[in-house]
Amino acid sequence: MLVIPIVNKPGSKIPYICIALIAINVFIYFFVQSDDNVQREKAYEYYETSHLMAIELDAFRDYLIANGENISEKDLNNEQTASQLRARMFADRKFHKLLTENQIIQPSYPQFKEWREKRDHFEGLEQVTVIYRYGYSPERGNLLGLFTCSFLHGGIMHLVGNMVFLWFVGAILEKAIGSILFALLYVITGICASGFFGLVYPLSPGPLIGASGAIAGLMGAYGVIFTFRKIRVFWSIGFYFDYANIPAILLFPIWLINELLQLGMSQNNHVAYMAHIGGLLSGMAIGTGYRFYRKEGIEDIFLQEEQKNELELLQSSGLEKLVALKLDEARIDFCKVLELEPENRAAIQQLYTIDKTRPESDDFHKSAHRLLRSFQKENQSDYLKFFEEYRTTTKKPRVPMDILERLAHYYLRSGDFKKGSACVSTLIKRTPENIKIPGFLMTLASGYKNNNNKEQAEKCYKLLASNYAISVEGIAAAEFLKRH
């Protein structure tokens, strides 16, 4: 059974660590492990062609007979039976341990020297691979492998399957717990998964590889951290599949039972289900502790997602009503959008378009002011162009102080001193104590002077020197007047 959560997109926050982990796993498979397949093929080709397999299969048959099984030599000549015996031999960890310790084919046996030479050569070919060196082997006790095995994969489908799960589970989980803790969770649960496998199978030669143990840990944490929040999942049994909305906490028992069932049916399967179970349990434990301390932050993620979905529905509804010319109904929808997200530029623009049909209404002026305030500061030309549209649309434009200050700044900076002067004059009348006025007057005076309009420049300097004498600009104006 396959169960994958498919809801809760990472939104505007990019899951950098999740993407980095996927990139690292892919890079290692294609560039670090690139020669492993060739090397393994060479090793197992030697294993067969050197008759090492035949020698060890005979020894395995004797081992089974010594343990009470009745296996004749004819069984080895039957391809189907021989194939089953080979699978059993590769999966029998106790036999492998005894074999490598020279307790199956002992030094006193006639074929020992030939077997030992071939076995050493075969193991030498295996040990060259990255998987052997950095995969985890409980039998060898290579502790570094507890960590490194979570970044190695045995094939392209092994890699793709794990990376798909990592993205679906990891992207939202990183957003919930933060990038640093997410990275630690991947590493810690990966180590716990490998360690649990080693505790259950201490004689396993390995090597254990794959990110699935760490991903199982993320899945365990996912189910516990999001608990009773309903999430959308894709599930399949065989060829049948469907979607369902279930509480996140149910994912943990579903995944755990699935792994236990797979373990019970696996026998000779090479999938390390015990590592998956170890990862799930460790992820659940860490997720439980995290949820206890950070419950509010987790809830915020879902509230943001729900708000985003509501925004999308309201915007879509508003646009449909606008196209159908149901302006009042559309206006209600866009007002609701702005209640949820006051800086939503699209809703501000649509609200202005609707209110523009009634240019003398209070709503139109409010919508125009809101749209003017939404302009980015670098959009000077667009800002002035829109203000001119607003000014000519209504008979009596209403210009609040903050917009008036911005207009004065933009007109003066663009060299339109006539309109800039009008804005500054209005500011002086409304709020003569405004601290921005001296700067505007000095800019205006400099502009007039550079355009040889000495009369207007002198008026600005005199106004500065008399009304704003203690300002930096007023002092500079007084000095200028003395010199001229």
Side-chain angles (χ1 to χ4, degrees), residues 135-367:
Y136 175 56
S137 168
E139 182 186 52
R140 288 186 283 124
N142 59 330
L143 297 181
L144 178 63
L146 288 168
F147 165 70
T148 53
C149 70
S150 295
F151 298 91
L152 303 174
H153 291 85
I156 187 66
M157 295 310 297
H158 187 203
L159 174 71
V160 171
N162 279 344
M163 294 306 100
V164 168
F165 265 93
L166 178 55
W167 173 253
F168 279 113
V169 177
I172 182 61
L173 193 57
E174 181 178 342
K175 182 178 179 182
I177 66 177
S179 296
I180 295 174
L181 288 177
F182 176 75
L184 288 173
L185 182 66
Y186 181 90
V187 171
I188 292 170
T189 56
I191 291 172
C192 289
S194 304
F196 189 74
F197 177 84
L199 286 175
V200 178
Y201 303 119
L203 302 180
S204 173
L208 178 69
I209 57 169
S212 51
I215 295 168
L218 300 181
M219 292 159 71
Y222 185 103
V224 173
I225 286 174
F226 297 139
T227 53
F228 299 108
R229 279 283 178 179
K230 285 195 173 182
I231 60 171
R232 189 167 174 77
V233 298
F234 168 84
W235 64 274
S236 72
I237 299 177
F239 291 103
Y240 183 81
F241 64 89
D242 204 345
Y243 298 89
N245 292 309
I246 62 172
I249 191 65
L250 289 181
L251 288 173
F252 178 76
I254 289 172
W255 283 327
L256 183 59
I257 291 169
N258 183 55
E259 294 298 333
L260 290 171
L261 289 174
Q262 295 282 0
L263 177 65
M265 296 185 294
S266 63
Q267 291 187 3
N268 297 324
N269 197 314
H270 294 291
V271 178
Y273 293 107
M274 274 300 170
H276 298 176
I277 293 169
L280 275 171
L281 294 173
S282 62
M284 181 203 71
I286 296 171
T288 301
Y290 182 84
R291 181 169 179 80
F292 181 77
Y293 289 104
R294 293 292 303 275
K295 183 178 180 180
E296 294 78 11
I298 296 165
E299 291 302 315
D300 285 345
I301 293 169
F302 284 94
L303 289 174
Q304 290 168 13
E305 192 67 32
E306 288 165 3
Q307 186 182 78
K308 182 180 177 182
N309 293 336
E310 187 177 355
L311 282 172
E312 290 174 353
L313 288 172
L314 284 170
Q315 285 179 307
S316 177
S317 172
L319 287 171
E320 288 176 5
K321 291 169 183 175
L322 189 60
V323 171
L325 297 179
K326 297 177 180 179
L327 301 185
D328 289 336
E329 293 180 22
R331 192 176 194 285
I332 292 171
D333 285 341
F334 290 122
C335 284
K336 287 179 179 178
V337 169
L338 293 175
E339 286 176 11
L340 295 171
E341 190 178 36
E343 302 301 320
N344 189 300
R345 182 65 187 274
I348 293 171
Q349 181 70 58
Q350 296 300 341
L351 205 57
Y352 171 78
T353 302
I354 293 169
D355 291 337
K356 192 178 177 181
T357 59
R358 294 170 293 184
E360 301 309 318
S361 67
D362 289 341
D363 287 335
F364 173 66
H365 294 288
K366 290 177 183 178
S367 295

Side-chain angles (χ1 to χ4, degrees), residues 5 25 46 73 82 119 135 174 256 302 378-379 393 401 425 446:
N25 277 280
Y46 173 81
E73 194 168 333
R119 164 54 66 170
E174 181 178 342
L256 183 59
F302 284 94
E378 57 270 18
N379 284 338
T393 301
M401 290 301 299
S425 296
S446 299

Side-chain angles (χ1 to χ4, degrees), residues 441-464 477 480-481:
L441 283 171
M442 182 57 78
T443 303
L444 197 56
S446 299
Y448 283 139
K449 188 175 71 171
N450 292 334
N451 286 304
N452 295 317
N453 193 339
K454 295 180 180 179
E455 183 181 349
Q456 291 298 328
E458 187 175 346
K459 285 182 180 179
C460 292
Y461 285 128
K462 286 180 178 179
L463 188 57
L464 276 168
F480 177 83
L481 291 170

Side-chain angles (χ1 to χ4, degrees), residues 38-48 122 125-126:
V38 174
Q39 195 61 39
R40 281 204 306 274
E41 287 176 9
K42 187 187 297 184
Y44 284 97
E45 182 181 355
Y46 173 81
Y47 187 69
E48 290 186 19
F122 169 68
L125 292 173
E126 271 195 316

